[in-house]
Amino acid sequence: MDVPKDQMSTLLDCGLYNSAQMLGCFLVSSSSVNNDSSPHLKAENLALHGDALFRDKEYKRAIHVYKQALQYHKIIPKINATTRSSLSTSNRSSSPNSFNVSAINENEVKFKIASCHCAINENRAALAEMETIPSKSRNLQMNLLLGKLYRYSKHIRPAIACYKECLRHCPYIIEAITSLAELGVQAKDIFSLLPQTPNRSGRPPFDQFESNRWLQRYVEAQCCIASNDYKGGLELFSELLQRFPNNVHILLEMAKVEAIIGKNDEAIMNFEKIRSVDPYVVKYMDEYAMLLKLKSDPLKLNKLVHDLLNIDPARPEVFVALSVLCEGKDDRAALTNAEKSIRIDERHITGHIVKGNLFLSMNQPEAAVVAFRSAQELRPDLRSYQGLVRSYLAVSKTKEALYAAREAMKAMPQSAKALKLVGDVYASNSSGREKAKKFYESGLRLEPGYLGAALALVDLHVMEGRNYEAVTLLERYLKDWTDDSLHVKLAQILAATNMLQDSLSHYQAALRINPQNESAKKGLERLEKLMKGVDPDAPEEEEENDGDDGDGDGDAEEAELL
């Protein structure tokens, strides 16, 4: 043998994949191995070379080589089948047995081919390959991959069956638990797959019971989140956090949910805690970037993006964070980065959401609808519903907007934000404002601290010429909530009613709370010109105010009021 196979194995075991794949070229082209008389050796060599290419992330080449290995495997005389089926690619013997039995395991090679397809987002090809592996021959890894692929192709029942099979082998596969919850499996059905070891009395030992309790709580939490019971899910995660303090996974799950439902301050606090515990976490950090953008905190956002680029610049979260950083300054670059995140992982939900928001800001609502629909198909959440409603209203498709808003309300009946979304649709038409008012008021009864509904109700009062009611409502909220957006809204209404000095004090109060509030800065600038008797809308002044104010609607509202 010109090239010892054990040297190839050594390189693979040491993680020297580039060297291994180059040595593999010598191994598979060795003249001492005759393709016709030694197909078993050729199959083994090709499988080893495929392993090197796979681990060196040359997926297309690996697929090609693995398939060649399978071709040679098929022409081996079908002898001693029992012995052959017990061997695997992990058994890298330097010489075949006397029966010319190939040392490769056909099913494992097929699994590796499917894994290569997955790595380059060829999920249909991966599924087709995996389905050729008999169900009785599938191991834990194979079932987990097959479950994912069935889920991606929306074959829900076989996906559930694969994930359940995973938990029967190992009940601590968190990914399988989460996937089953998201596929609608009830907590009690997942519990039945968890370890049950009762003693003679019929009850599990205390230690065993306690050790499994946290896993059951985790199942319950994921099932709550999947069914849009965010409050219940967060309570269960908080309970788990008491037993596992500073658990990065639980903190990430909590922060993600808080970001989705608009508990921005709580989410930011948890993301900051995560980064203090483990500064190299990338998962969900694009959610954190979006929150920092909303909070107008460019210093933290810049640092976050810089850190993510240094950790792993190939992750989709990094490109979403880059997109968020570019937004408002270079929307084209922002869109390019959002699309890059989706090319890396077409199932990356925040990439689709950010893309939709960018299309809206670029006045392309039809394209925004497509992006938000893509996000919703992966996992419906409040932000995709909000995006759809805004997009449909932008093209005057009120019926579609109302349908999307009611879908959100049906999915999240205890969500004040979903109720507010229905109110927004009705508020878009003068004939529906009374209905809108009822939905906003219902949202505030459900969640008195939801300022979004309060501000929407204020806008409704202003539309109807009820400025006194609007001011009264804002002043009532300012007694209990210190929030810059409330001060800005009140300042705008006061300016519109010619109470300029009072308006000035509220703009200043907003900037004391949040010095980065662009709406407050712009409003204050306009107000000062009004107080000096200068027309704030004079043409020469417009050029100085071309910049994006960060929220895209504050100036428009104020211009209308003034």
Side-chain angles (χ1 to χ4, degrees):
M1 186 68 170
D2 297 330
V3 182
K5 252 187 292 191
D6 60 343
Q7 295 302 309
M8 184 78 167
S9 300
T10 300
L11 291 174
L12 287 170
D13 292 340
C14 292
L16 302 174
Y17 306 135
N18 190 44
S19 294
Q21 63 106 335
M22 288 189 285
L23 183 62
C25 292
F26 291 90
L27 187 67
V28 298
S29 61
S30 173
S31 59
S32 64
V33 177
N34 185 286
N35 294 348
D36 296 325
S37 62
S38 308
H40 56 287
L41 287 177
K42 192 71 175 178
E44 291 171 25
N45 293 349
L46 284 164
L48 273 174
H49 188 38
D51 287 350
L53 292 166
F54 180 22
R55 296 181 193 180
D56 205 32
K57 299 183 179 180
E58 294 206 37
Y59 300 116
K60 286 283 189 181
R61 288 182 69 194
I63 291 169
H64 177 65
V65 171
Y66 280 138
K67 286 187 175 180
Q68 285 182 305
L70 290 178
Q71 286 298 320
Y72 282 106
H73 176 73
K74 286 178 181 177
I75 63 175
I76 297 170
K78 302 298 180 180
I79 57 174
N80 205 352
T82 305
T83 304
R84 180 167 64 251
S85 65
S86 68
L87 297 172
S88 69
T89 50
S90 61
N91 176 19
R92 300 191 185 103
S93 172
S94 59
S95 61
N97 60 37
S98 57
F99 293 100
N100 281 351
V101 176
S102 173
I104 75 167
N105 180 304
E106 182 179 355
N107 294 328
E108 287 191 10
V109 174
K110 288 179 177 180
F111 169 69
K112 289 174 183 176
I113 291 172
S115 299
C116 288
H117 282 303
C118 280
I120 51 179
N121 287 321
E122 295 178 349
N123 294 328
R124 287 186 180 180
L127 180 58
E129 194 70 43
M130 287 299 300
E131 286 186 324
T132 65
I133 301 175
S135 58
K136 291 182 180 179
S137 301
R138 294 173 196 153
N139 59 23
L140 191 57
Q141 280 182 302
M142 293 173 184
N143 275 313
L144 190 60
L145 178 60
L146 192 54
K148 284 184 189 177
L149 293 169
Y150 276 134
R151 187 181 179 188
Y152 293 171
S153 61
K154 299 181 181 179
H155 295 155
I156 304 304
R157 290 179 67 181
I160 289 172
C162 287
Y163 286 126
K164 285 185 173 181
E165 190 62 29
C166 289
L167 290 182
R168 289 189 187 98
H169 283 87
C170 176
Y172 292 92
I173 303 177
I174 301 296
E175 185 179 353
I177 290 172
T178 304
S179 297
L180 285 171
E182 290 174 348
L183 289 168
V185 178
Q186 298 297 308
K188 59 182 177 62
D189 295 326
I190 302 176
F191 288 160
S192 67
L193 304 168
L194 303 183
Q196 306 289 330
T197 53
N199 55 23
R200 290 180 181 178
S201 66
R203 296 181 180 179
F206 182 76
D207 290 343
Q208 173 83 22
F209 179 77
E210 286 300 312
S211 67
N212 291 337
R213 183 187 291 272
W214 74 264
L215 191 58
Q216 292 185 348
R217 287 287 180 269
Y218 183 84
V219 170
E220 289 174 17
Q222 289 292 2
C223 288
C224 283
I225 300 301
S227 62
N228 299 306
D229 179 9
Y230 296 116
K231 183 181 177 183
L234 287 173
E235 286 174 357
L236 286 161
F237 278 136
S238 296
E239 182 185 324
L240 283 167
L241 204 57
Q242 292 176 5
R243 178 164 179 177
F244 302 97
N246 295 329
N247 183 308
V248 170
H249 174 70
I250 294 173
L251 286 168
L252 280 169
E253 292 297 298
M254 291 179 70
K256 177 193 71 174
V257 171
E258 288 162 345
I260 288 172
I261 64 175
K263 290 195 168 188
N264 296 347
D265 292 336
E266 294 91 332
I268 287 172
M269 183 179 69
N270 276 325
F271 277 123
E272 288 175 349
K273 188 172 184 180
I274 290 161
R275 280 174 58 79
S276 69
V277 174
D278 185 348
Y280 298 101
V281 172
V282 176
K283 188 177 183 180
Y284 300 155
M285 285 299 138
D286 47 353
E287 299 275 7
Y288 184 34
M290 292 163 71
L291 292 171
L292 292 176
K293 183 76 172 185
L294 282 173
K295 281 290 180 181
S296 302
D297 197 334
L299 291 178
K300 283 186 179 178
L301 178 56
N302 270 290
K303 185 180 187 314
L304 174 65
V305 173
H306 179 268
D307 290 347
L308 293 175
L309 284 168
N310 283 329
I311 296 166
D312 188 351
R315 290 278 292 270
E317 295 93 336
V318 180
F319 284 101
V320 173
L322 270 170
S323 176
V324 171
L325 183 63
C326 294
E327 187 181 349
K329 292 174 280 188
D330 186 346
D331 283 349
R332 280 290 163 193
L335 185 60
T336 298
N337 282 310
E339 288 172 338
K340 280 181 181 177
S341 75
I342 297 167
R343 281 200 297 273
I344 293 170
D345 180 3
E346 61 188 14
R347 298 184 61 81
H348 194 67
I349 294 170
T350 49
H352 293 286
I353 289 173
V354 167
K355 185 177 175 181
N357 287 330
L358 282 166
F359 277 130
L360 273 177
S361 67
M362 296 164 72
N363 198 29
Q364 297 181 44
E366 294 90 350
V369 168
V370 175
F372 289 124
R373 277 292 178 202
S374 296
Q376 196 177 50
E377 285 174 8
L378 293 170
R379 188 191 64 227
D381 70 35
L382 187 68
R383 293 172 304 183
S384 57
Y385 284 122
Q386 288 171 329
L388 280 172
V389 169
R390 288 175 59 204
S391 302
Y392 283 132
L393 289 178
V395 290
S396 300
K397 290 187 176 181
T398 309
K399 185 177 179 181
E400 290 85 347
L402 186 60
Y403 180 78
R406 289 194 175 277
E407 262 191 337
M409 192 173 68
K410 185 178 178 181
M412 295 164 270
Q414 297 303 310
S415 170
K417 294 173 180 63
L419 288 169
K420 189 253 180 188
L421 208 51
V422 180
D424 289 345
V425 179
Y426 283 120
S428 67
N429 192 302
S430 58
S431 62
R433 288 175 184 167
E434 196 57 39
K435 284 185 178 180
K437 182 184 175 186
K438 291 178 181 177
F439 277 101
Y440 293 148
E441 288 173 343
S442 296
L444 288 172
R445 282 194 297 272
L446 194 63
E447 191 180 329
Y450 177 35
L451 299 182
L455 290 169
L457 192 54
V458 166
D459 285 337
L460 207 57
H461 285 317
V462 172
M463 287 180 202
E464 297 288 313
R466 298 189 297 266
N467 284 5
Y468 175 77
E469 288 90 336
V471 169
T472 303
L473 181 60
L474 285 168
E475 288 176 341
R476 177 156 57 87
Y477 267 85
L478 280 169
K479 290 178 182 178
D480 299 316
W481 281 275
T482 304
D483 184 87
D484 52 316
S485 63
L486 293 175
H487 281 289
V488 170
K489 183 66 70 177
L490 184 51
Q492 290 173 347
I493 297 170
L494 291 170
T497 54
N498 209 32
M499 299 176 69
L500 303 187
Q501 197 60 46
D502 290 336
S503 175
L504 178 66
S505 67
H506 282 287
Y507 275 130
Q508 291 170 339
L511 288 171
R512 282 195 297 273
I513 296 168
N514 180 8
Q516 304 299 325
N517 188 312
E518 290 297 323
S519 292
K521 288 179 185 178
K522 299 284 187 183
L524 186 59
E525 183 181 335
R526 290 171 60 84
L527 185 64
E528 287 172 345
K529 289 175 183 176
L530 278 174
M531 295 175 80
K532 291 176 184 177
V534 178
D535 182 2
D537 296 316
E540 63 269 20
E541 300 295 330
E542 286 182 357
E543 292 180 2
E544 298 174 14
N545 294 315
D546 278 344
D548 188 358
D549 66 358
D551 62 10
D553 60 1
D555 284 348
E557 291 173 357
E558 188 176 349
E560 186 177 344
L561 287 166
L562 292 173

